[in-house]
Amino acid sequence: MEPDRLVTGVASVDRLLGGGLETDSVTEIYGEGGSGKTLFCLDVAVRVARSGKWVFYVDTEGVSVDRLHAIAGNELDRILKRFLLSSPKELDEQGRAVATACALAREGKRPVGLIVVDSATMFYRLSLSSSDEDTARQSLVLEVADLVATALAVPVPVLITNQVWRSVSEGTLEPLGGSFLNHAAKTILRFERLPGPRRRVVLVKHRSLPEGSAEFRITSSGLEGSG
Ligand code: ATP
Ligand code: MG
């Protein structure tokens, strides 16, 4: 039997993912700044909220209400009623926000259709090479373990974004968070910038699909992926 999928609405990405995001596991998107990670999360989140389900959205970057408005149009107010948005300003707050989102999703009082953590690693990155690095790593591990367990238990798709570091020896952009994150996320996508509004999505890891790639375009009203 085919597992359930959450259709993202970006046709090329849905095809790449065999229909959409897995609904019982964590999907990780990593990629350089401006590669479209946040815009993709917002697009999917609006789609879920529009369908009447709740979105628990942990945002460490300052979500763009202008962009939400551009995607949601005159449905914005109705859609925001289905958004439980938290905007932590430091690592401990992020930990509490993720724990709350997971607890509410498991509680089941609100039908939750998506959990987003964008970005999961911003505060973690800030702690690297400081005396807080071990604490930050531990906090990230606990959060991601909670998200993995929640995705499976509810079940609910979980979308997290991750920042990158440049491997000088390999000349590649690598995701932060090391092997733990790499194992915890059952689907991993890398977003890459192409000229202009074009972006490439590379399927780096999936439980049941081969590696592959797709493209989408950023437009003023949402992401388009016909190719
Ligand atoms: P970061 O790692 O910095 O958070 P990100 O991967 O989340 O980056 P986004 O914020 O999703 O990136 O994407 C921003 C990119 O989208 C920028 O490169 C911006 O130029 C582009 N962009 C935003 N709006 C439009 C638009 N209407 N048309 C074309 N490109 C756009
Ligand atoms: Mg972003």
Side-chain angles (χ1 to χ4, degrees), residues 34 36-39 61 118-119 161:
K37 303 181 296 295
T38 296
L39 298 183
E61 303 186 339
D118 179 28
S119 125
T161 69

Side-chain angles (χ1 to χ4, degrees), residues 28-215:
E28 173 196 346
I29 303 173
Y30 73 93
E32 63 187 311
S35 58
K37 303 181 296 295
T38 296
L39 298 183
F40 182 79
C41 291
L42 290 175
D43 253 47
V44 182
V46 165
R47 189 181 178 86
V48 168
R50 193 176 266 145
S51 78
K53 290 199 173 171
W54 282 78
V55 177
F56 297 162
Y57 203 109
V58 179
D59 158 49
T60 65
E61 303 186 339
V63 85
S64 165
V65 177
D66 284 351
R67 182 70 189 183
L68 272 175
H69 196 200
I71 304 168
N74 55 17
E75 289 181 292
L76 183 67
D77 286 345
R78 194 172 70 79
I79 278 168
L80 286 181
K81 287 198 183 102
R82 291 275 174 275
F83 260 71
L84 205 69
L85 179 68
S86 58
S87 303
K89 298 288 180 285
E90 41 92 25
L91 194 72
D92 285 353
E93 262 185 64
Q94 179 181 325
R96 288 194 294 276
V98 170
T100 302
C102 289
L104 288 173
R106 283 161 176 267
E107 182 189 74
K109 281 192 186 156
R110 301 176 179 92
V112 58
L114 180 68
I115 299 175
V116 177
V117 185
D118 179 28
S119 125
T121 49
M122 188 175 101
F123 299 126
Y124 168 74
R125 169 177 231 154
L126 294 176
S127 78
L128 293 179
S129 309
S130 81
S131 58
D132 295 333
E133 182 173 341
D134 285 347
T135 317
R137 191 182 308 276
Q138 180 69 9
S139 167
L140 182 65
V141 165
L142 288 173
E143 274 170 37
V144 173
D146 199 2
L147 290 164
V148 168
T150 303
L152 197 56
V154 175
V156 59
V158 174
L159 192 52
I160 66 174
T161 69
N162 190 3
Q163 299 182 343
V164 290
W165 60 279
R166 184 171 292 279
S167 163
V168 178
S169 57
E170 304 291 325
T172 51
L173 293 172
E174 300 293 335
L176 289 171
S179 61
F180 175 76
L181 207 49
N182 194 32
H183 287 297
K186 292 302 165 215
T187 303
I188 301 180
L189 297 168
R190 182 174 69 243
F191 280 18
E192 298 173 355
R193 295 183 74 138
L194 294 173
R198 291 169 53 218
R199 300 292 183 270
R200 178 181 293 122
V201 179
V202 179
L203 182 60
V204 176
K205 174 187 163 185
H206 196 284
R207 284 192 282 201
S208 59
L209 294 169
E211 293 168 17
S213 69
E215 279 190 28

